[in-house]
Amino acid sequence: YMYKGTTRNHVRHGTGTYVYTNKYFTYSGEWVDGIKHGRGRFILGDGTVYDGQFDQGEMTGHATKAWPDGRKYDGPFIMGVMDGDEGRMTFRDGSEYRGQFRRNMFHGQGALTSGDNEKYEGDFFNHKFHGHGRRTYDDGAVYEGGWSEGSRTGRGRMQGPDG
């Protein structure tokens, strides 16, 4: 491993950069008594970057994360997992999700807008439309009502593009 930065009593403390022995991980940021704590940037060998808060060595707090495939997330993390009420995920194709995340998934209240101007606002469960929601299709048609695992279900109202 290699560490370049400040120390206290021969332990990483203050700010510095640590390159792990496997050279796949690099951390630059704040340290407290040898532990990543405060603001930092964690870079993986595949190009994934986590930039934000660390708490007692864990990726916990507000941060941004960017993946090599073009996805970007801005919001809360708990123990390295996207989890909280105010998250935003954008995709290379222009799609965007804003809302609640649980365990790295769209889960709870949110809005998903696709690159071709389709939009869904409502309840999500494990990345799928589930519960009550309103979807606007690319042709202007709108469905509002029940959803189950991504499909319309139960009672709902469909309105065509011309009203």
mmCIF file with all atom_site columns, all heavy atoms in Angstrom, residues 15-37:
data_model
loop_
_atom_site.group_PDB
_atom_site.id
_atom_site.type_symbol
_atom_site.label_atom_id
_atom_site.label_alt_id
_atom_site.label_comp_id
_atom_site.label_asym_id
_atom_site.label_entity_id
_atom_site.label_seq_id
_atom_site.pdbx_PDB_ins_code
_atom_site.Cartn_x
_atom_site.Cartn_y
_atom_site.Cartn_z
_atom_site.occupancy
_atom_site.B_iso_or_equiv
_atom_site.pdbx_formal_charge
_atom_site.auth_seq_id
_atom_site.auth_comp_id
_atom_site.auth_asym_id
_atom_site.auth_atom_id
_atom_site.pdbx_PDB_model_num
ATOM 1   N N   . THR A 1 15 ? -5.678  14.793 6.202   1.00 0.00 ? 15 THR A N   1
ATOM 2   C CA  . THR A 1 15 ? -6.021  14.505 4.807   1.00 0.00 ? 15 THR A CA  1
ATOM 3   C C   . THR A 1 15 ? -4.886  13.743 4.146   1.00 0.00 ? 15 THR A C   1
ATOM 4   O O   . THR A 1 15 ? -3.711  13.944 4.475   1.00 0.00 ? 15 THR A O   1
ATOM 5   C CB  . THR A 1 15 ? -6.293  15.801 4.002   1.00 0.00 ? 15 THR A CB  1
ATOM 6   O OG1 . THR A 1 15 ? -5.146  16.633 4.064   1.00 0.00 ? 15 THR A OG1 1
ATOM 7   C CG2 . THR A 1 15 ? -7.507  16.530 4.530   1.00 0.00 ? 15 THR A CG2 1
ATOM 8   N N   . GLY A 1 16 ? -5.287  12.868 3.231   1.00 0.00 ? 16 GLY A N   1
ATOM 9   C CA  . GLY A 1 16 ? -4.276  12.100 2.519   1.00 0.00 ? 16 GLY A CA  1
ATOM 10  C C   . GLY A 1 16 ? -4.878  11.165 1.507   1.00 0.00 ? 16 GLY A C   1
ATOM 11  O O   . GLY A 1 16 ? -6.096  11.013 1.421   1.00 0.00 ? 16 GLY A O   1
ATOM 12  N N   . THR A 1 17 ? -3.996  10.541 0.730   1.00 0.00 ? 17 THR A N   1
ATOM 13  C CA  . THR A 1 17 ? -4.394  9.593  -0.310  1.00 0.00 ? 17 THR A CA  1
ATOM 14  C C   . THR A 1 17 ? -3.776  8.235  -0.002  1.00 0.00 ? 17 THR A C   1
ATOM 15  O O   . THR A 1 17 ? -2.585  8.138  0.297   1.00 0.00 ? 17 THR A O   1
ATOM 16  C CB  . THR A 1 17 ? -3.918  10.078 -1.693  1.00 0.00 ? 17 THR A CB  1
ATOM 17  O OG1 . THR A 1 17 ? -4.548  11.331 -1.967  1.00 0.00 ? 17 THR A OG1 1
ATOM 18  C CG2 . THR A 1 17 ? -4.276  9.087  -2.791  1.00 0.00 ? 17 THR A CG2 1
ATOM 19  N N   . TYR A 1 18 ? -4.624  7.220  -0.082  1.00 0.00 ? 18 TYR A N   1
ATOM 20  C CA  . TYR A 1 18 ? -4.200  5.853  0.198   1.00 0.00 ? 18 TYR A CA  1
ATOM 21  C C   . TYR A 1 18 ? -4.500  4.997  -1.023  1.00 0.00 ? 18 TYR A C   1
ATOM 22  O O   . TYR A 1 18 ? -5.636  4.952  -1.490  1.00 0.00 ? 18 TYR A O   1
ATOM 23  C CB  . TYR A 1 18 ? -4.965  5.330  1.418   1.00 0.00 ? 18 TYR A CB  1
ATOM 24  C CG  . TYR A 1 18 ? -4.633  3.917  1.827   1.00 0.00 ? 18 TYR A CG  1
ATOM 25  C CD1 . TYR A 1 18 ? -3.527  3.649  2.615   1.00 0.00 ? 18 TYR A CD1 1
ATOM 26  C CD2 . TYR A 1 18 ? -5.436  2.863  1.447   1.00 0.00 ? 18 TYR A CD2 1
ATOM 27  C CE1 . TYR A 1 18 ? -3.218  2.361  3.022   1.00 0.00 ? 18 TYR A CE1 1
ATOM 28  C CE2 . TYR A 1 18 ? -5.145  1.560  1.837   1.00 0.00 ? 18 TYR A CE2 1
ATOM 29  C CZ  . TYR A 1 18 ? -4.034  1.321  2.630   1.00 0.00 ? 18 TYR A CZ  1
ATOM 30  O OH  . TYR A 1 18 ? -3.739  0.047  3.024   1.00 0.00 ? 18 TYR A OH  1
ATOM 31  N N   . VAL A 1 19 ? -3.473  4.330  -1.556  1.00 0.00 ? 19 VAL A N   1
ATOM 32  C CA  . VAL A 1 19 ? -3.644  3.385  -2.659  1.00 0.00 ? 19 VAL A CA  1
ATOM 33  C C   . VAL A 1 19 ? -3.556  1.993  -2.044  1.00 0.00 ? 19 VAL A C   1
ATOM 34  O O   . VAL A 1 19 ? -2.543  1.649  -1.419  1.00 0.00 ? 19 VAL A O   1
ATOM 35  C CB  . VAL A 1 19 ? -2.559  3.567  -3.746  1.00 0.00 ? 19 VAL A CB  1
ATOM 36  C CG1 . VAL A 1 19 ? -2.752  2.541  -4.862  1.00 0.00 ? 19 VAL A CG1 1
ATOM 37  C CG2 . VAL A 1 19 ? -2.600  4.984  -4.308  1.00 0.00 ? 19 VAL A CG2 1
ATOM 38  N N   . TYR A 1 20 ? -4.608  1.206  -2.182  1.00 0.00 ? 20 TYR A N   1
ATOM 39  C CA  . TYR A 1 20 ? -4.667  -0.122 -1.571  1.00 0.00 ? 20 TYR A CA  1
ATOM 40  C C   . TYR A 1 20 ? -3.669  -1.067 -2.224  1.00 0.00 ? 20 TYR A C   1
ATOM 41  O O   . TYR A 1 20 ? -3.258  -0.863 -3.366  1.00 0.00 ? 20 TYR A O   1
ATOM 42  C CB  . TYR A 1 20 ? -6.090  -0.687 -1.702  1.00 0.00 ? 20 TYR A CB  1
ATOM 43  C CG  . TYR A 1 20 ? -7.069  -0.001 -0.771  1.00 0.00 ? 20 TYR A CG  1
ATOM 44  C CD1 . TYR A 1 20 ? -7.468  1.310  -1.002  1.00 0.00 ? 20 TYR A CD1 1
ATOM 45  C CD2 . TYR A 1 20 ? -7.578  -0.654 0.336   1.00 0.00 ? 20 TYR A CD2 1
ATOM 46  C CE1 . TYR A 1 20 ? -8.351  1.949  -0.152  1.00 0.00 ? 20 TYR A CE1 1
ATOM 47  C CE2 . TYR A 1 20 ? -8.465  -0.029 1.195   1.00 0.00 ? 20 TYR A CE2 1
ATOM 48  C CZ  . TYR A 1 20 ? -8.849  1.278  0.947   1.00 0.00 ? 20 TYR A CZ  1
ATOM 49  O OH  . TYR A 1 20 ? -9.717  1.917  1.792   1.00 0.00 ? 20 TYR A OH  1
ATOM 50  N N   . THR A 1 21 ? -3.295  -2.117 -1.503  1.00 0.00 ? 21 THR A N   1
ATOM 51  C CA  . THR A 1 21 ? -2.288  -3.056 -1.998  1.00 0.00 ? 21 THR A CA  1
ATOM 52  C C   . THR A 1 21 ? -2.690  -3.707 -3.313  1.00 0.00 ? 21 THR A C   1
ATOM 53  O O   . THR A 1 21 ? -1.850  -3.989 -4.151  1.00 0.00 ? 21 THR A O   1
ATOM 54  C CB  . THR A 1 21 ? -1.997  -4.158 -0.950  1.00 0.00 ? 21 THR A CB  1
ATOM 55  O OG1 . THR A 1 21 ? -3.222  -4.773 -0.584  1.00 0.00 ? 21 THR A OG1 1
ATOM 56  C CG2 . THR A 1 21 ? -1.306  -3.588 0.262   1.00 0.00 ? 21 THR A CG2 1
ATOM 57  N N   . ASN A 1 22 ? -3.996  -3.918 -3.511  1.00 0.00 ? 22 ASN A N   1
ATOM 58  C CA  . ASN A 1 22 ? -4.438  -4.524 -4.773  1.00 0.00 ? 22 ASN A CA  1
ATOM 59  C C   . ASN A 1 22 ? -4.471  -3.510 -5.908  1.00 0.00 ? 22 ASN A C   1
ATOM 60  O O   . ASN A 1 22 ? -4.751  -3.860 -7.040  1.00 0.00 ? 22 ASN A O   1
ATOM 61  C CB  . ASN A 1 22 ? -5.800  -5.190 -4.614  1.00 0.00 ? 22 ASN A CB  1
ATOM 62  C CG  . ASN A 1 22 ? -6.905  -4.199 -4.289  1.00 0.00 ? 22 ASN A CG  1
ATOM 63  O OD1 . ASN A 1 22 ? -6.731  -2.989 -4.387  1.00 0.00 ? 22 ASN A OD1 1
ATOM 64  N ND2 . ASN A 1 22 ? -8.045  -4.711 -3.884  1.00 0.00 ? 22 ASN A ND2 1
ATOM 65  N N   . LYS A 1 23 ? -4.233  -2.257 -5.608  1.00 0.00 ? 23 LYS A N   1
ATOM 66  C CA  . LYS A 1 23 ? -4.208  -1.140 -6.556  1.00 0.00 ? 23 LYS A CA  1
ATOM 67  C C   . LYS A 1 23 ? -5.538  -0.930 -7.288  1.00 0.00 ? 23 LYS A C   1
ATOM 68  O O   . LYS A 1 23 ? -5.630  -0.124 -8.192  1.00 0.00 ? 23 LYS A O   1
ATOM 69  C CB  . LYS A 1 23 ? -3.055  -1.293 -7.559  1.00 0.00 ? 23 LYS A CB  1
ATOM 70  C CG  . LYS A 1 23 ? -1.695  -1.185 -6.905  1.00 0.00 ? 23 LYS A CG  1
ATOM 71  C CD  . LYS A 1 23 ? -0.583  -1.128 -7.926  1.00 0.00 ? 23 LYS A CD  1
ATOM 72  C CE  . LYS A 1 23 ? 0.753   -0.826 -7.346  1.00 0.00 ? 23 LYS A CE  1
ATOM 73  N NZ  . LYS A 1 23 ? 1.311   -1.699 -6.390  1.00 0.00 ? 23 LYS A NZ  1
ATOM 74  N N   . TYR A 1 24 ? -6.576  -1.663 -6.892  1.00 0.00 ? 24 TYR A N   1
ATOM 75  C CA  . TYR A 1 24 ? -7.900  -1.485 -7.505  1.00 0.00 ? 24 TYR A CA  1
ATOM 76  C C   . TYR A 1 24 ? -8.636  -0.306 -6.867  1.00 0.00 ? 24 TYR A C   1
ATOM 77  O O   . TYR A 1 24 ? -9.451  0.334  -7.496  1.00 0.00 ? 24 TYR A O   1
ATOM 78  C CB  . TYR A 1 24 ? -8.726  -2.771 -7.358  1.00 0.00 ? 24 TYR A CB  1
ATOM 79  C CG  . TYR A 1 24 ? -10.032 -2.754 -8.119  1.00 0.00 ? 24 TYR A CG  1
ATOM 80  C CD1 . TYR A 1 24 ? -10.059 -2.988 -9.493  1.00 0.00 ? 24 TYR A CD1 1
ATOM 81  C CD2 . TYR A 1 24 ? -11.234 -2.487 -7.475  1.00 0.00 ? 24 TYR A CD2 1
ATOM 82  C CE1 . TYR A 1 24 ? -11.245 -2.965 -10.203 1.00 0.00 ? 24 TYR A CE1 1
ATOM 83  C CE2 . TYR A 1 24 ? -12.435 -2.469 -8.180  1.00 0.00 ? 24 TYR A CE2 1
ATOM 84  C CZ  . TYR A 1 24 ? -12.431 -2.708 -9.538  1.00 0.00 ? 24 TYR A CZ  1
ATOM 85  O OH  . TYR A 1 24 ? -13.609 -2.680 -10.237 1.00 0.00 ? 24 TYR A OH  1
ATOM 86  N N   . PHE A 1 25 ? -8.321  -0.016 -5.607  1.00 0.00 ? 25 PHE A N   1
ATOM 87  C CA  . PHE A 1 25 ? -9.006  1.047  -4.870  1.00 0.00 ? 25 PHE A CA  1
ATOM 88  C C   . PHE A 1 25 ? -8.029  2.160  -4.506  1.00 0.00 ? 25 PHE A C   1
ATOM 89  O O   . PHE A 1 25 ? -6.888  1.894  -4.131  1.00 0.00 ? 25 PHE A O   1
ATOM 90  C CB  . PHE A 1 25 ? -9.590  0.510  -3.555  1.00 0.00 ? 25 PHE A CB  1
ATOM 91  C CG  . PHE A 1 25 ? -10.522 -0.649 -3.721  1.00 0.00 ? 25 PHE A CG  1
ATOM 92  C CD1 . PHE A 1 25 ? -10.152 -1.909 -3.300  1.00 0.00 ? 25 PHE A CD1 1
ATOM 93  C CD2 . PHE A 1 25 ? -11.782 -0.477 -4.285  1.00 0.00 ? 25 PHE A CD2 1
ATOM 94  C CE1 . PHE A 1 25 ? -11.020 -2.983 -3.430  1.00 0.00 ? 25 PHE A CE1 1
ATOM 95  C CE2 . PHE A 1 25 ? -12.643 -1.546 -4.421  1.00 0.00 ? 25 PHE A CE2 1
ATOM 96  C CZ  . PHE A 1 25 ? -12.269 -2.801 -4.000  1.00 0.00 ? 25 PHE A CZ  1
ATOM 97  N N   . THR A 1 26 ? -8.523  3.389  -4.591  1.00 0.00 ? 26 THR A N   1
ATOM 98  C CA  . THR A 1 26 ? -7.776  4.547  -4.117  1.00 0.00 ? 26 THR A CA  1
ATOM 99  C C   . THR A 1 26 ? -8.733  5.438  -3.344  1.00 0.00 ? 26 THR A C   1
ATOM 100 O O   . THR A 1 26 ? -9.855  5.693  -3.808  1.00 0.00 ? 26 THR A O   1
ATOM 101 C CB  . THR A 1 26 ? -7.173  5.351  -5.293  1.00 0.00 ? 26 THR A CB  1
ATOM 102 O OG1 . THR A 1 26 ? -6.315  4.502  -6.050  1.00 0.00 ? 26 THR A OG1 1
ATOM 103 C CG2 . THR A 1 26 ? -6.392  6.559  -4.803  1.00 0.00 ? 26 THR A CG2 1
ATOM 104 N N   . TYR A 1 27 ? -8.299  5.898  -2.187  1.00 0.00 ? 27 TYR A N   1
ATOM 105 C CA  . TYR A 1 27 ? -9.106  6.826  -1.393  1.00 0.00 ? 27 TYR A CA  1
ATOM 106 C C   . TYR A 1 27 ? -8.304  8.091  -1.162  1.00 0.00 ? 27 TYR A C   1
ATOM 107 O O   . TYR A 1 27 ? -7.131  8.030  -0.752  1.00 0.00 ? 27 TYR A O   1
ATOM 108 C CB  . TYR A 1 27 ? -9.482  6.210  -0.038  1.00 0.00 ? 27 TYR A CB  1
ATOM 109 C CG  . TYR A 1 27 ? -10.140 7.200  0.891   1.00 0.00 ? 27 TYR A CG  1
ATOM 110 C CD1 . TYR A 1 27 ? -11.486 7.520  0.750   1.00 0.00 ? 27 TYR A CD1 1
ATOM 111 C CD2 . TYR A 1 27 ? -9.421  7.834  1.891   1.00 0.00 ? 27 TYR A CD2 1
ATOM 112 C CE1 . TYR A 1 27 ? -12.089 8.445  1.585   1.00 0.00 ? 27 TYR A CE1 1
ATOM 113 C CE2 . TYR A 1 27 ? -10.014 8.763  2.729   1.00 0.00 ? 27 TYR A CE2 1
ATOM 114 C CZ  . TYR A 1 27 ? -11.354 9.062  2.568   1.00 0.00 ? 27 TYR A CZ  1
ATOM 115 O OH  . TYR A 1 27 ? -11.954 9.976  3.388   1.00 0.00 ? 27 TYR A OH  1
ATOM 116 N N   . SER A 1 28 ? -8.933  9.230  -1.432  1.00 0.00 ? 28 SER A N   1
ATOM 117 C CA  . SER A 1 28 ? -8.336  10.530 -1.119  1.00 0.00 ? 28 SER A CA  1
ATOM 118 C C   . SER A 1 28 ? -9.345  11.302 -0.303  1.00 0.00 ? 28 SER A C   1
ATOM 119 O O   . SER A 1 28 ? -10.502 11.440 -0.711  1.00 0.00 ? 28 SER A O   1
ATOM 120 C CB  . SER A 1 28 ? -8.043  11.331 -2.390  1.00 0.00 ? 28 SER A CB  1
ATOM 121 O OG  . SER A 1 28 ? -7.014  10.746 -3.123  1.00 0.00 ? 28 SER A OG  1
ATOM 122 N N   . GLY A 1 29 ? -8.900  11.773 0.852   1.00 0.00 ? 29 GLY A N   1
ATOM 123 C CA  . GLY A 1 29 ? -9.825  12.547 1.665   1.00 0.00 ? 29 GLY A CA  1
ATOM 124 C C   . GLY A 1 29 ? -9.392  12.636 3.105   1.00 0.00 ? 29 GLY A C   1
ATOM 125 O O   . GLY A 1 29 ? -8.209  12.554 3.433   1.00 0.00 ? 29 GLY A O   1
ATOM 126 N N   . GLU A 1 30 ? -10.401 12.771 3.964   1.00 0.00 ? 30 GLU A N   1
ATOM 127 C CA  . GLU A 1 30 ? -10.159 12.994 5.383   1.00 0.00 ? 30 GLU A CA  1
ATOM 128 C C   . GLU A 1 30 ? -10.052 11.672 6.141   1.00 0.00 ? 30 GLU A C   1
ATOM 129 O O   . GLU A 1 30 ? -10.750 10.701 5.836   1.00 0.00 ? 30 GLU A O   1
ATOM 130 C CB  . GLU A 1 30 ? -11.291 13.847 5.963   1.00 0.00 ? 30 GLU A CB  1
ATOM 131 C CG  . GLU A 1 30 ? -11.346 15.229 5.321   1.00 0.00 ? 30 GLU A CG  1
ATOM 132 C CD  . GLU A 1 30 ? -12.548 16.051 5.755   1.00 0.00 ? 30 GLU A CD  1
ATOM 133 O OE1 . GLU A 1 30 ? -13.620 15.484 6.029   1.00 0.00 ? 30 GLU A OE1 1
ATOM 134 O OE2 . GLU A 1 30 ? -12.403 17.280 5.817   1.00 0.00 ? 30 GLU A OE2 1
ATOM 135 N N   . TRP A 1 31 ? -9.163  11.699 7.139   1.00 0.00 ? 31 TRP A N   1
ATOM 136 C CA  . TRP A 1 31 ? -8.907  10.535 8.000   1.00 0.00 ? 31 TRP A CA  1
ATOM 137 C C   . TRP A 1 31 ? -9.004  10.979 9.456   1.00 0.00 ? 31 TRP A C   1
ATOM 138 O O   . TRP A 1 31 ? -8.603  12.087 9.802   1.00 0.00 ? 31 TRP A O   1
ATOM 139 C CB  . TRP A 1 31 ? -7.501  10.000 7.776   1.00 0.00 ? 31 TRP A CB  1
ATOM 140 C CG  . TRP A 1 31 ? -7.235  9.493  6.402   1.00 0.00 ? 31 TRP A CG  1
ATOM 141 C CD1 . TRP A 1 31 ? -6.841  10.219 5.311   1.00 0.00 ? 31 TRP A CD1 1
ATOM 142 C CD2 . TRP A 1 31 ? -7.348  8.151  5.952   1.00 0.00 ? 31 TRP A CD2 1
ATOM 143 N NE1 . TRP A 1 31 ? -6.694  9.408  4.227   1.00 0.00 ? 31 TRP A NE1 1
ATOM 144 C CE2 . TRP A 1 31 ? -6.999  8.121  4.592   1.00 0.00 ? 31 TRP A CE2 1
ATOM 145 C CE3 . TRP A 1 31 ? -7.698  6.956  6.576   1.00 0.00 ? 31 TRP A CE3 1
ATOM 146 C CZ2 . TRP A 1 31 ? -6.992  6.956  3.834   1.00 0.00 ? 31 TRP A CZ2 1
ATOM 147 C CZ3 . TRP A 1 31 ? -7.688  5.795  5.831   1.00 0.00 ? 31 TRP A CZ3 1
ATOM 148 C CH2 . TRP A 1 31 ? -7.341  5.800  4.482   1.00 0.00 ? 31 TRP A CH2 1
ATOM 149 N N   . VAL A 1 32 ? -9.498  10.095 10.298  1.00 0.00 ? 32 VAL A N   1
ATOM 150 C CA  . VAL A 1 32 ? -9.481  10.316 11.738  1.00 0.00 ? 32 VAL A CA  1
ATOM 151 C C   . VAL A 1 32 ? -8.976  9.033  12.383  1.00 0.00 ? 32 VAL A C   1
ATOM 152 O O   . VAL A 1 32 ? -9.598  7.971  12.235  1.00 0.00 ? 32 VAL A O   1
ATOM 153 C CB  . VAL A 1 32 ? -10.882 10.683 12.284  1.00 0.00 ? 32 VAL A CB  1
ATOM 154 C CG1 . VAL A 1 32 ? -10.864 10.773 13.805  1.00 0.00 ? 32 VAL A CG1 1
ATOM 155 C CG2 . VAL A 1 32 ? -11.377 11.993 11.677  1.00 0.00 ? 32 VAL A CG2 1
ATOM 156 N N   . ASP A 1 33 ? -7.840  9.121  13.025  1.00 0.00 ? 33 ASP A N   1
ATOM 157 C CA  . ASP A 1 33 ? -7.242  7.970  13.717  1.00 0.00 ? 33 ASP A CA  1
ATOM 158 C C   . ASP A 1 33 ? -7.171  6.717  12.838  1.00 0.00 ? 33 ASP A C   1
ATOM 159 O O   . ASP A 1 33 ? -7.520  5.616  13.254  1.00 0.00 ? 33 ASP A O   1
ATOM 160 C CB  . ASP A 1 33 ? -8.003  7.665  15.008  1.00 0.00 ? 33 ASP A CB  1
ATOM 161 C CG  . ASP A 1 33 ? -7.904  8.806  16.011  1.00 0.00 ? 33 ASP A CG  1
ATOM 162 O OD1 . ASP A 1 33 ? -6.842  9.465  16.054  1.00 0.00 ? 33 ASP A OD1 1
ATOM 163 O OD2 . ASP A 1 33 ? -8.879  9.039  16.748  1.00 0.00 ? 33 ASP A OD2 1
ATOM 164 N N   . GLY A 1 34 ? -6.742  6.899  11.577  1.00 0.00 ? 34 GLY A N   1
ATOM 165 C CA  . GLY A 1 34 ? -6.538  5.766  10.674  1.00 0.00 ? 34 GLY A CA  1
ATOM 166 C C   . GLY A 1 34 ? -7.782  5.293  9.937   1.00 0.00 ? 34 GLY A C   1
ATOM 167 O O   . GLY A 1 34 ? -7.728  4.326  9.185   1.00 0.00 ? 34 GLY A O   1
ATOM 168 N N   . ILE A 1 35 ? -8.910  5.974  10.149  1.00 0.00 ? 35 ILE A N   1
ATOM 169 C CA  . ILE A 1 35 ? -10.178 5.562  9.535   1.00 0.00 ? 35 ILE A CA  1
ATOM 170 C C   . ILE A 1 35 ? -10.675 6.666  8.600   1.00 0.00 ? 35 ILE A C   1
ATOM 171 O O   . ILE A 1 35 ? -10.606 7.850  8.929   1.00 0.00 ? 35 ILE A O   1
ATOM 172 C CB  . ILE A 1 35 ? -11.238 5.289  10.635  1.00 0.00 ? 35 ILE A CB  1
ATOM 173 C CG1 . ILE A 1 35 ? -10.774 4.125  11.513  1.00 0.00 ? 35 ILE A CG1 1
ATOM 174 C CG2 . ILE A 1 35 ? -12.595 4.994  10.033  1.00 0.00 ? 35 ILE A CG2 1
ATOM 175 C CD1 . ILE A 1 35 ? -11.615 3.917  12.746  1.00 0.00 ? 35 ILE A CD1 1
ATOM 176 N N   . LYS A 1 36 ? -11.203 6.249  7.425   1.00 0.00 ? 36 LYS A N   1
ATOM 177 C CA  . LYS A 1 36 ? -11.811 7.215  6.500   1.00 0.00 ? 36 LYS A CA  1
ATOM 178 C C   . LYS A 1 36 ? -13.014 7.828  7.218   1.00 0.00 ? 36 LYS A C   1
ATOM 179 O O   . LYS A 1 36 ? -13.934 7.120  7.616   1.00 0.00 ? 36 LYS A O   1
ATOM 180 C CB  . LYS A 1 36 ? -12.270 6.518  5.213   1.00 0.00 ? 36 LYS A CB  1
ATOM 181 C CG  . LYS A 1 36 ? -11.147 5.881  4.430   1.00 0.00 ? 36 LYS A CG  1
ATOM 182 C CD  . LYS A 1 36 ? -11.623 5.209  3.144   1.00 0.00 ? 36 LYS A CD  1
ATOM 183 C CE  . LYS A 1 36 ? -12.419 3.963  3.339   1.00 0.00 ? 36 LYS A CE  1
ATOM 184 N NZ  . LYS A 1 36 ? -11.690 2.793  3.793   1.00 0.00 ? 36 LYS A NZ  1
ATOM 185 N N   . HIS A 1 37 ? -12.989 9.149  7.388   1.00 0.00 ? 37 HIS A N   1
ATOM 186 C CA  . HIS A 1 37 ? -14.080 9.808  8.105   1.00 0.00 ? 37 HIS A CA  1
ATOM 187 C C   . HIS A 1 37 ? -14.122 11.276 7.694   1.00 0.00 ? 37 HIS A C   1
ATOM 188 O O   . HIS A 1 37 ? -13.119 11.976 7.782   1.00 0.00 ? 37 HIS A O   1
ATOM 189 C CB  . HIS A 1 37 ? -13.875 9.692  9.623   1.00 0.00 ? 37 HIS A CB  1
ATOM 190 C CG  . HIS A 1 37 ? -15.038 10.171 10.428  1.00 0.00 ? 37 HIS A CG  1
ATOM 191 N ND1 . HIS A 1 37 ? -16.148 9.387  10.637  1.00 0.00 ? 37 HIS A ND1 1
ATOM 192 C CD2 . HIS A 1 37 ? -15.264 11.351 11.041  1.00 0.00 ? 37 HIS A CD2 1
ATOM 193 C CE1 . HIS A 1 37 ? -17.017 10.064 11.380  1.00 0.00 ? 37 HIS A CE1 1
ATOM 194 N NE2 . HIS A 1 37 ? -16.506 11.255 11.620  1.00 0.00 ? 37 HIS A NE2 1
#
